[in-house]
Amino acid sequence: MIKALFFDIDDTIFDFNKCSVIALRKTCDYYHVTFNDTILNEYRKIDDILWKKQKLGIYTIDEVLKLRSDYMMDIMDIQNYDKSFKDVYLEKLGKTIELVDDIEIVLDEFKTKGYRLYCASNGFYEMQKYRLNKAHLLHYFDELFVSDKVGFEKPNVKFFETCLRETNLKKEEVVMIGDSYLADIEGAYNAGWKACYFNRKNQVNHLKVIEFKEMKELLKDRNR
């Protein structure tokens, strides 16, 4: 019987695309650089490349952030500033709240039904906790599992094993819910978990796990 649900955060709870654009625009303002499509497209290009390599184990999260920062400072011609792109961007991102449609309805429904809810995210614990609190969602979760505090990054099986050990749950009692096929779905599958794939981009679902494209669809599958 399923007792607990583990939610990814970015692009599952928060609409990361919207959040990142707002944070990038504010970062440009900080550096007195005009935000435009070229900067946005360059950011998206390098961000996509680096995070794919992180999920493959080529880079750590810290390495991704450093490489992305160096690249964007070059693209934006940022010089003679005390703060790096990484520091400014993460500061702005940490204060940006844009929720995925209907996520509050879904969390409330599952909580009312008696499920234990957790977050399982790559990133920085304090920043994710702050964002969830600012969005008035923190109270839904029994605990937050974030890679910098866990000590492992998804899709590493040890990340998922740590979640089970610290919650005293068995793998047959949990479901991972997330948007990243590699980090969330394959990571959970390799750890022996069930998973639900938030597949808004119509990616190939090789493992044929339950998938949904709108958050409210997840409620229809709660007994499956």
Side-chain angles (χ1 to χ4, degrees):
M1 184 179 72
I2 301 302
K3 295 181 178 180
L5 308 177
F6 286 75
F7 285 82
D8 177 45
I9 294 178
D10 289 312
D11 272 330
T12 303
I13 293 174
F14 294 112
D15 189 320
F16 191 73
N17 183 57
K18 291 180 180 178
C19 291
S20 63
V21 172
I22 293 170
L24 183 58
R25 187 185 295 274
K26 290 180 178 178
T27 301
C28 286
D29 290 343
Y30 175 87
Y31 290 118
H32 305 291
V33 172
T34 301
F35 176 82
N36 54 41
D37 287 342
T38 298
I39 289 175
L40 177 59
N41 291 336
E42 289 293 335
Y43 170 85
R44 285 175 170 168
K45 179 179 71 175
I46 193 64
D47 196 59
D48 184 60
I49 291 170
L50 292 175
W51 284 113
K52 283 181 179 177
K53 290 185 177 182
Q54 183 273 329
K55 291 178 177 67
L56 292 171
I58 298 172
Y59 293 136
T60 65
I61 291 176
D62 285 340
E63 288 170 336
V64 166
L65 299 179
K66 175 65 166 58
L67 289 168
R68 185 179 67 185
S69 181
D70 292 344
Y71 182 86
M72 291 306 298
M73 290 183 78
D74 183 54
I75 290 295
M76 296 166 65
D77 194 25
I78 298 171
Q79 301 176 17
N80 301 319
Y81 278 88
D82 292 336
K83 286 188 176 182
S84 68
F85 175 91
K86 169 189 170 182
D87 292 336
V88 176
Y89 177 78
L90 290 179
E91 178 185 330
K92 304 301 182 186
L93 183 64
K95 297 177 180 178
T96 304
I97 304 300
E98 293 288 336
L99 296 177
V100 166
D101 290 344
D102 299 318
I103 185 62
E104 288 184 87
I105 293 172
V106 168
L107 293 176
D108 194 65
E109 174 78 7
F110 281 126
K111 196 71 173 179
T112 300
K113 293 291 183 181
Y115 289 94
R116 292 160 60 182
L117 304 183
Y118 299 94
C119 283
S121 171
N122 285 340
F124 301 100
Y125 177 84
E126 290 300 333
M127 186 174 90
Q128 299 292 41
K129 181 179 179 180
Y130 175 87
R131 294 168 75 205
L132 289 165
N133 188 52
K134 186 175 179 179
H136 306 292
L137 299 180
L138 187 60
H139 67 282
Y140 285 111
F141 299 101
D142 292 41
E143 194 169 348
L144 311 183
F145 293 94
V146 185
S147 59
D148 73 325
K149 192 172 181 180
V150 172
F152 304 100
E153 300 170 2
K154 296 181 298 181
N156 192 323
V157 169
K158 291 181 179 179
F159 178 99
F160 297 93
E161 291 174 345
T162 300
C163 292
L164 293 184
R165 184 172 63 253
E166 295 194 7
T167 57
N168 199 30
L169 288 162
K170 300 176 182 178
K171 56 189 176 182
E172 59 268 22
E173 296 175 330
V174 300
V175 176
M176 179 70 210
I177 299 165
D179 72 291
S180 171
Y181 190 79
L182 181 55
D184 299 318
I185 307 309
E186 286 194 356
Y189 180 85
N190 290 336
W193 293 29
K194 296 181 177 67
C196 289
Y197 184 23
F198 191 23
N199 190 8
R200 292 194 292 176
K201 298 178 181 178
N202 296 311
Q203 301 296 310
V204 178
N205 181 0
H206 294 287
L207 295 174
K208 306 300 181 184
V209 299
I210 292 172
E211 65 176 73
F212 58 105
K213 293 179 171 59
E214 295 183 5
M215 188 55 64
K216 285 179 74 173
E217 293 178 40
L218 188 58
L219 298 175
K220 300 175 184 178
D221 297 316
R222 63 180 180 269
N223 294 319
R224 288 170 62 177

